[in-house]
Each structure stands twice: as structure tokens, then as C-alpha cells.
Amino acid sequence: MNVSASLTPFNSPTPSSLPMILDTLPDPATEGQLCPRRTRVQIDLILLAIEALELGGSEAILAFADELELKGIIKDRVNLWRMRSSNPLRRAHMRRPLTIMEAKALVVIACYIARRLTVVIRQLLMIYQQMNEKQLPLEQNLRLSNYLERFRTHFKSRMSSRRSGSLALTSDEKLDELAINLLGQLLFCTGTAGMQRFWISLFDGEVE
């Protein structure tokens, strides 16, 4: 991955000023301490699922950044948007890198929010399993239907259909499948060492 040094974000915190919570996530051996494409996509999608789970999801991300002393990395809404726009599937994709430090901060926040929403996530997955076993349309359950509809709306408004086409995300059925899969990932984050295991999974096959 060849990235010009001029693309490195300005005003990055020094290592000595970083919150200790980031040390719980190991540093992957990536070139230039930058995240590969798949990692950037997956982090943005997991945050998209959080936004579909609860209203004000983006505000919650910023609130947790403050609570977890990560404001030195995620300074404000614009800064957060720029990080997430490193996802190449986005309509407003920015050709800027996502550093390992930025990715760690986003993952830590996502996992803390997931823990707060554990009951809701479990309930939605249980409802999905029951509906699936009975071969009932998912839209018959209001809670599950609302989550799926919000996810589809967020995805379609923010992602480029031309770019996401490569992932075969061109139908509501495929988007519903992705939304359910992301619920499973969020639940995975809440388990024992879930944050560390989820973090490692983001680089599985991407590093040597």
C-alpha cells in the first residue's frame, strides 16, 4: 500500500498522550501503520449498524469519545466524518488514510456502545432466528423491521451503489442480510475479550 506522507492526518496525538485503553488492542504489522481497505469498510459498517440501532448514534459515538478520553483522536463531528469517509464504498469517499490509532479509537467506542446495547442486540437476533425458523416475513416484527429499514436507508444514502455493487449489496434482501450479520458482529464484541478478538478479525488475512 503506497500512501503519500502528505496524506497523514495533521495534529496527531503523540504516543505518550494516548489513552491507555488503546494499548489493549495490539498493533498489526501494516505498512505505515495505516488500515487496509477491508478494515476501513468493516469499521464504518459496524458504526452504521449502531446508528440504525438507536437514534442519535453519531452523537453517542462523540459522547463516548469524550467519556473514554479519546477526544484527542476523534475531536468533533467533522473529524469523525472524515475518518469514516476513508471507507471506499462511501459516496463522499475521501482519499485519506485511516491510521491504526484512529481505527483503534473507533473500535473501542463501537464495542463500548455494543455493550450498552447488548440486550437489544440479543433480542433482535432472537427475533430474527424465530422469524426465520417459522419462515415469516421479517417486516411482520416491528422492532426488527425498524432496524432493517433504518440500516437500508443509511446505507443507500451514504454508500455508492456503483462501489458497493462489488459486494453484491444491490437489493434490500442483501442489505437485510448484511444488517443481521453486523448485529452478530456487535454481539461478538460484547463477549469475553470481544473487543480484542473483533479488532484482530479486522486484519485477518491482511497482515503477515
Side-chain angles (χ1 to χ4, degrees), residues 45-171:
L45 289 178
I46 207 77
L47 294 175
L48 201 71
I50 286 173
E51 290 175 326
L53 275 172
E54 63 171 356
L55 299 177
S58 59
E59 287 77 11
I61 294 171
L62 293 171
F64 268 90
D66 188 33
E67 181 178 333
L68 297 170
E69 300 182 350
L70 295 170
K71 292 287 284 185
I73 302 172
I74 306 174
K75 301 175 179 63
D76 51 37
R77 187 181 301 276
V78 173
N79 187 234
L80 174 61
W81 177 80
R82 287 174 176 166
M83 289 183 194
R84 297 185 63 180
S85 293
S86 66
N87 173 7
L89 300 187
R90 281 198 169 241
R91 295 178 187 271
H93 169 54
M94 298 180 66
R95 294 183 64 83
R96 56 109 55 203
L98 183 70
T99 68
I100 295 299
M101 179 176 61
E102 290 171 336
K104 283 185 177 183
L106 292 174
V107 166
V108 166
I109 291 171
C111 290
Y112 268 79
I113 295 177
R115 288 173 188 171
R116 190 184 69 181
L117 297 173
T118 299
V119 173
V120 174
I121 295 169
R122 285 187 182 277
Q123 289 175 344
L124 288 176
L125 285 171
M126 186 177 300
I127 291 169
Y128 169 74
Q129 183 178 2
Q130 293 171 347
M131 301 287 284
N132 199 39
E133 288 175 352
K134 296 177 181 179
Q135 296 185 329
L136 296 174
L138 300 182
E139 58 267 21
Q140 284 191 8
N141 184 275
L142 183 61
R143 292 183 64 190
L144 182 59
S145 178
N146 284 342
Y147 164 69
L148 295 175
E149 183 178 0
R150 284 196 298 267
F151 182 84
R152 292 194 304 267
T153 299
H154 288 337
F155 188 96
K156 291 176 182 178
S157 66
R158 301 178 193 182
M159 307 298 169
S160 166
S161 59
R162 178 174 58 84
R163 295 177 184 138
S164 61
S166 61
L167 296 181
L169 301 174
T170 54
S171 67

Side-chain angles (χ1 to χ4, degrees), residues 168-183:
L169 301 174
T170 54
S171 67
D172 286 354
E173 291 76 13
K174 288 295 183 181
L175 288 176
D176 286 350
E177 186 179 325
L178 174 61
I180 295 298
N181 182 55
L182 290 167
L183 280 181

